[in-house]
Amino acid sequence: MFNFALILIIAGSIILIGLGVWVYQRRELGSKPELEQKLLNTNAEAAIEDPDAVIIASEYGQLLHINQKARQWLNLRAGTPSLEYVARNTKPVDNFRSLFSGKSVATFQLGDRWVEGAALQIPAEGEMRTIVTLRELTENGHTNGNSNGVSISSSMRIIGEMGETINASQSVEQVLQSVLAIISKNVEISGGEI
């Protein structure tokens, strides 16, 4: 009988110590969700000045946060879209998805912009989260915030417009005039001649 009482006392002590450690850890971790929420709440003014679009997703593919710049690029009004919705707006979609499966850098088209995505995986709340930053590419390979170059997106739009406007049945003069008209409409020039 004495051994049983001793076992109960030891077991009760272990349980009380475990609860004490658990309460202490919860108290220490209690401020981190508030800090995370502060980090996720982006300042609207900073988002306008910042050239980066940011997407945060859980390891299970749930979109947790999308900042204002990414919302503008995707023409989103309110709510948090799914990661699949964002993926449907990318080409090639495999490059975008590779950022969430371990690849650290990829280039793809998001809507009508060519962007470079960089991914970072961090542990948070017992799971891995992927933070993807997106920057629009320019003609010389630098991102928009670091260069005065023409964006690749603008160049691709001009080429696309030329492809839609010009056809094989046009004469050489008509083609040249169409090319000049498209370029003068998209690039600031004071005069042009071919």
Side-chain angles (χ1 to χ4, degrees):
M1 192 64 153
F2 179 71
N3 289 338
F4 183 69
L6 183 62
I7 291 172
L8 283 177
I9 291 172
I10 292 172
S13 298
I14 291 173
I15 290 173
L16 287 175
I17 290 171
L19 283 174
V21 168
W22 182 77
V23 168
Y24 175 76
Q25 288 177 342
R26 293 302 294 169
R27 196 173 314 139
E28 290 295 314
L29 293 175
S31 63
K32 289 190 179 178
E34 293 170 5
L35 176 63
E36 183 177 321
Q37 197 60 20
K38 287 179 186 176
L39 290 173
L40 291 178
N41 293 334
T42 57
N43 184 347
E45 293 173 14
I48 292 170
E49 296 171 6
D50 188 14
D52 292 346
V54 178
I55 298 172
I56 302 174
S58 72
E59 68 181 317
Y60 304 110
Q62 178 186 10
L63 189 63
L64 301 173
H65 175 73
I66 184 167
N67 76 345
Q68 190 61 35
K69 179 65 79 173
R71 288 178 178 284
Q72 289 172 355
W73 288 359
L74 291 165
N75 295 322
L76 295 174
R77 302 290 178 242
T80 302
S82 68
L83 202 54
E84 277 303 309
Y85 174 81
V86 177
R88 282 193 301 268
N89 289 291
T90 63
K91 293 175 189 173
V93 71
D94 291 337
N95 286 5
F96 175 73
R97 288 186 177 146
S98 71
L99 291 171
F100 296 93
S101 62
K103 188 174 180 185
S104 60
V105 178
T107 303
F108 52 90
Q109 189 175 0
L110 178 66
D112 60 350
R113 297 176 182 343
W114 280 93
V115 298
E116 178 181 59
L120 175 67
Q121 293 187 335
I122 59 168
E125 296 181 11
E127 68 177 11
M128 293 301 287
R129 295 212 176 145
T130 304
I131 300 173
V132 175
T133 57
L134 305 171
R135 285 195 174 191
E136 187 170 8
L137 294 173
T138 58
E139 183 178 319
N140 57 9
H142 293 90
T143 52
N144 240 1
N146 303 330
S147 167
N148 293 329
V150 176
S151 74
I152 289 177
S153 301
S154 299
S155 301
M156 295 306 288
R157 276 194 296 274
I158 292 170
I159 291 169
E161 188 174 345
M162 285 181 188
E164 292 172 0
T165 306
I166 299 169
N167 61 46
S169 65
Q170 293 178 321
S171 70
V172 174
E173 289 179 17
Q174 290 174 324
V175 170
L176 294 176
Q177 285 300 324
S178 297
V179 168
L180 186 59
I182 291 169
I183 291 174
S184 65
K185 181 174 71 172
N186 290 290
V187 178
E188 190 174 315
I189 60 172
S190 58
E193 183 178 346
I194 297 179

